[in-house]
Amino acid sequence: MDRKPVIFSGIQPTGTFTLGNYMGAIKNWVKLQDDYRCVYSVVDLHSVTIRQEPKILRENTMRAYALLLACGVDPEKSVLFVQSHVPTHAEAAWLLGCYTPYGELGRMTQFKDKSAAHSENINAGLFTYPVLQIADILLYNASLVPVGEDQRQHLELSRNTAIRFNGIYGDTFVVPEPYIQKEGGKIMSLQEPAKKMSKSDATPKAYISVLDPPDTMIKKFKSAVTDSGTDVAYRPGKDGVNNLITIYGLITGKTIEETEAEFKGKGYGDFKLAVGEAVANHLKPVQDEYYRLMDDRAYLEACWKQGAEKAFAISSRTLEKARKKVGLLKR
Ligand code: TRP
């Protein structure tokens, strides 16, 4: 029996991934596969809390799945599935929603932000979004969940719900902990380097998409906002240059000092070009693999079918246990 601790994480299929998603999340997902039993999901049910164009959602889900494979998520080592292919998630969300207080959901900052941004469509799903996330995590007995700062509150909520349920019925769910990444934390916008890099930024120049053609990437780095200085040096307040040094370090493995030494006496121009080229070269094999996979629909389908079967097998065991505890009649 595989006794490695379980990791669960999910990513929404909205457009392509940014360099920030790649560095901050996906590269870590890939690394974690060696030491943990990893379960990763393209969480399409979470995406429909915001109105989606059906054809685009379908495409984006397939793209996100292929891109995760291209980045190195290994479907033999890990479970990689599309959330809506596994019906236990929606069912568990109903049950767990009955153990999650309305008041706690109302305090979620993501709900407040999203309802402000989409005031024309504040639906119940947007409000119960975190309950579905709780189901995702608890169904697999995940002890660790790698998430960014913005998801901390949701993770805290899943801990509370697991503890509450266990308190009433006895040990049922594993209480998850956040998995804090040592590196790769935060990649900032190339245009407003005090802000996090985001694909929802209005100017595409502000973010690098993992699928940007190499010359586009290089151009974006060349026009990255820095300051009026010239030294490639990591200093407080020099957000733009600091961000570029961080990115360069993550790609090349170089420390800040090594990067500073490498570009001593050279200007920002040379440095930006070097960062752009390093990123483009690094992502080239990922892009090649992605396009190869997108041409092999039969393989992709087989892959997500198998992922869904594995996910269903694990999650239905947990769900059965919870159903029984609550007093639902055996089916
Ligand atoms: N809500 C997460 C996000 O927007 C995605 C997500 C859904 C998730 N289910 C999850 C992340 C379970 C971690 C664990 O980033």
Side-chain angles (χ1 to χ4, degrees):
M1 258 278 275
D2 199 348
R3 283 289 170 210
K4 289 178 187 164
V6 178
I7 291 235
F8 186 98
S9 202
I11 193 159
Q12 289 200 43
T14 40
T16 82
F17 302 151
T18 66
L19 184 65
N21 299 133
Y22 177 74
M23 288 297 175
I26 298 158
K27 259 185 100 186
N28 276 297
W29 287 19
V30 173
K31 248 195 264 157
L32 291 166
Q33 297 181 108
D34 296 330
D35 300 319
Y36 298 92
R37 177 92 181 110
C38 295
V39 183
Y40 297 134
S41 184
V42 178
V43 292
D44 54 348
L45 292 175
H46 278 108
S47 294
V48 296
T49 54
I50 306 291
R51 201 71 75 225
Q52 304 283 338
E53 195 58 57
K55 186 164 173 279
I56 294 178
L57 176 60
R58 217 162 8 243
E59 259 170 36
N60 281 345
T61 304
M62 186 160 90
R63 287 191 178 141
Y65 194 94
L67 198 48
L68 289 171
L69 290 175
C71 289
V73 173
D74 180 344
E76 296 304 321
K77 272 194 217 164
S78 305
V79 181
L80 178 62
F81 70 103
V82 176
Q83 186 189 35
S84 70
H85 291 176
V86 184
T88 45
H89 289 247
E91 189 179 344
W94 174 261
L95 213 54
L96 292 164
C98 300
Y99 300 86
T100 305
Y102 176 86
E104 282 188 26
L105 285 173
R107 279 197 291 278
M108 295 295 115
T109 53
Q110 188 172 12
F111 171 68
K112 292 185 205 162
D113 293 348
K114 285 197 180 171
S115 26
H118 303 273
S119 56
E120 76 298 341
N121 180 24
I122 306 178
N123 59 74
L126 196 62
F127 187 69
T128 57
Y129 174 115
V131 179
L132 182 60
Q133 186 164 349
I134 297 174
D136 295 343
I137 297 166
L138 300 189
L139 279 173
Y140 298 89
N141 298 311
S143 46
L144 290 169
V145 182
V147 286
E149 212 34 63
D150 63 330
Q151 293 298 315
R152 280 258 197 167
Q153 221 187 1
H154 290 166
L155 195 63
E156 197 53 42
L157 194 66
S158 59
R159 288 175 55 81
N160 293 347
T161 296
I163 292 167
R164 184 175 300 107
F165 193 101
N166 290 348
I168 303 170
Y169 301 106
D171 261 0
T172 310
F173 296 117
V174 172
V175 180
E177 309 256 356
Y179 177 88
I180 312 293
Q181 278 135 212
K182 279 154 228 108
E183 52 173 48
K186 233 177 173 183
I187 305 290
M188 312 307 281
S189 157
L190 297 183
Q191 292 300 313
E192 288 173 81
K195 273 179 30 189
K196 195 175 138 183
M197 182 180 283
S198 163
K199 59 193 153 200
S200 50
D201 205 303
T203 44
K205 266 167 62 175
Y207 64 90
I208 300 290
S209 155
V210 171
L211 296 175
D212 277 343
D215 55 329
T216 307
M217 284 188 193
I218 292 170
K219 245 186 249 157
K220 287 182 180 178
F221 276 106
K222 278 193 190 159
S223 61
V225 168
T226 41
D227 51 77
S228 57
T230 50
D231 286 353
V232 177
Y234 199 99
R235 299 278 181 278
K238 295 179 42 162
D239 295 338
V241 176
N242 295 351
N243 187 36
L244 296 179
I245 293 177
T246 302
I247 294 171
Y248 192 69
L250 287 168
I251 295 281
T252 62
K254 289 182 181 155
T255 62
I256 292 175
E257 294 73 30
E258 285 166 345
T259 301
E260 288 173 346
E262 183 180 349
F263 293 94
K264 200 167 170 62
K266 300 191 183 142
Y268 287 168
D270 288 342
F271 179 53
K272 287 180 189 176
L273 180 64
V275 181
E277 286 177 345
V279 172
N281 288 336
H282 183 85
L283 290 173
K284 183 73 174 49
V286 171
Q287 297 188 347
D288 291 346
E289 179 62 1
Y290 169 79
Y291 290 112
R292 194 188 68 74
L293 287 166
M294 288 299 282
D295 274 340
D296 194 350
R297 178 72 189 249
Y299 173 76
L300 286 176
E301 276 176 16
C303 219
W304 66 56
K305 186 160 174 272
Q306 195 202 44
E309 281 164 8
K310 287 193 205 164
F312 183 75
I314 305 169
S315 58
S316 51
R317 252 176 277 144
T318 316
L319 179 61
E320 265 334 296
K321 206 157 76 166
R323 284 176 46 100
K324 193 170 166 200
K325 298 243 173 156
V326 168
L328 299 175
L329 186 63
K330 194 166 162 52
R331 37 188 151 199

